[in-house]
Amino acid sequence: MDKKITIELVKSLNGRNDKHIATAASLGLRKIGNKTVQPDNPQTRGKIAQIGYLVKVTEE
């Protein structure tokens, strides 16, 4: 029941919208290749929807 998702930053944050940079930072992603494990909930899914073009998501 306790689902997790792994999120990896695959594109640079340089020149991106400030809100998108802040969203990536709130997920713990600062550099290309950074990975984080987050709970699979609507809040996390909303963040992924906003910066989906910058990240790769793997469900565990």
Side-chain angles (χ1 to χ4, degrees), residues 40-47:
D40 189 2
N41 58 35
Q43 292 82 8
T44 304
R45 289 291 179 172
K47 291 176 184 180

Side-chain angles (χ1 to χ4, degrees), residues 21-41:
I21 295 170
T23 301
S26 74
L27 289 169
L29 303 171
R30 302 202 185 278
K31 294 181 179 179
I32 295 175
N34 279 135
K35 291 183 181 179
T36 183
V37 177
Q38 299 287 331
D40 189 2
N41 58 35

Side-chain angles (χ1 to χ4, degrees), residues 5-11 29 34-36 48 51-59:
I5 51 178
T6 302
I7 307 164
E8 179 181 5
L9 188 64
V10 294
K11 290 191 177 183
L29 303 171
N34 279 135
K35 291 183 181 179
T36 183
I48 292 169
I51 61 167
Y53 66 101
L54 297 173
V55 297
K56 181 174 96 174
V57 179
T58 307
E59 296 185 22

